[in-house]
């Protein structure tokens, strides 16, 4: 269950049906990123759009870090927070390909700073 607190669930419109739709939408968006990256890589390009870093690459890296947090040495955070991040839905996990994770890592290693300060 996404919201354990009844108050938070009500505040943000949680329902089991809404959670199901959200998971499906997230998986679809992640698959779109995977397809875009595969298309770019097939064309010999390293970034999601064009030949250089774009906001989309940074947005992806940040989003991926929420769905699949980097190890503690790269992104230190309190254990209580780390458990709240990540993904438990198998459909999203299936869409989150190794290439997408590698792209996240490439963007952080090449264009952003480590460790990520949480």
């Amino acid at each position: 269950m996404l919201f354990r607190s009844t108050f938070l669930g009500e505040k943000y419109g949680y329902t089991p049906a809404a959670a199901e739709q959200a998971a499906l939408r997230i998986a679809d968006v992640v698959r779109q990123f995977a397809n875009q990256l595969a298309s770019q890589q097939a064309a010999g390009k390293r970034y999601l759009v064009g030949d250089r870093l774009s906001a989309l690459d940074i947005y992806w890296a940040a989003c991926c870090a929420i769905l699949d947090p980097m190890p503690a040495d790269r992104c230190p955070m309190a254990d209580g927070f780390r458990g709240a991040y990540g993904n438990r839905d198998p459909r999203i996990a299936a869409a989150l390909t190794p290439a997408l994770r590698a792209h996240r890592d490439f963007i952080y290693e090449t264009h952003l700073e480590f460790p990520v300060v949480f």
Side-chain angles (χ1 to χ4, degrees):
M1 183 156 134
L2 185 58
F3 294 106
R4 294 174 193 237
S5 165
T6 302
F7 173 75
L8 284 176
E10 290 172 7
K11 179 177 178 181
Y12 292 104
Y14 173 82
T15 66
E20 176 67 15
Q21 287 302 312
L24 292 172
R25 179 68 178 128
I26 292 167
D28 182 52
V29 168
V30 172
R31 280 190 297 274
Q32 289 179 42
F33 271 97
N35 292 339
Q36 178 65 22
L37 182 61
S39 175
Q40 284 287 99
Q41 289 177 337
K45 300 182 182 198
R46 191 67 179 96
Y47 296 95
L48 284 166
V49 179
D51 294 319
R52 61 185 174 163
L53 180 70
S54 72
L56 190 60
D57 295 293
I58 295 170
Y59 296 154
W60 168 251
C63 178
C64 187
I66 293 170
L67 293 173
D68 180 30
M70 291 181 281
D73 63 322
R74 292 182 153 202
C75 184
M77 68 176 86
D79 291 339
F81 287 136
R82 186 169 291 282
Y85 289 92
N87 167 60
R88 293 176 188 91
D89 189 293
R91 296 165 295 192
I92 296 170
L96 191 56
T97 65
L100 286 173
R101 288 182 177 98
H103 188 67
R104 172 205 57 201
D105 294 347
F106 167 72
I107 295 302
Y108 273 98
E109 290 164 2
T110 307
H111 300 287
L112 303 173
E113 293 183 17
F114 278 117
V116 175
V117 178
F118 188 81

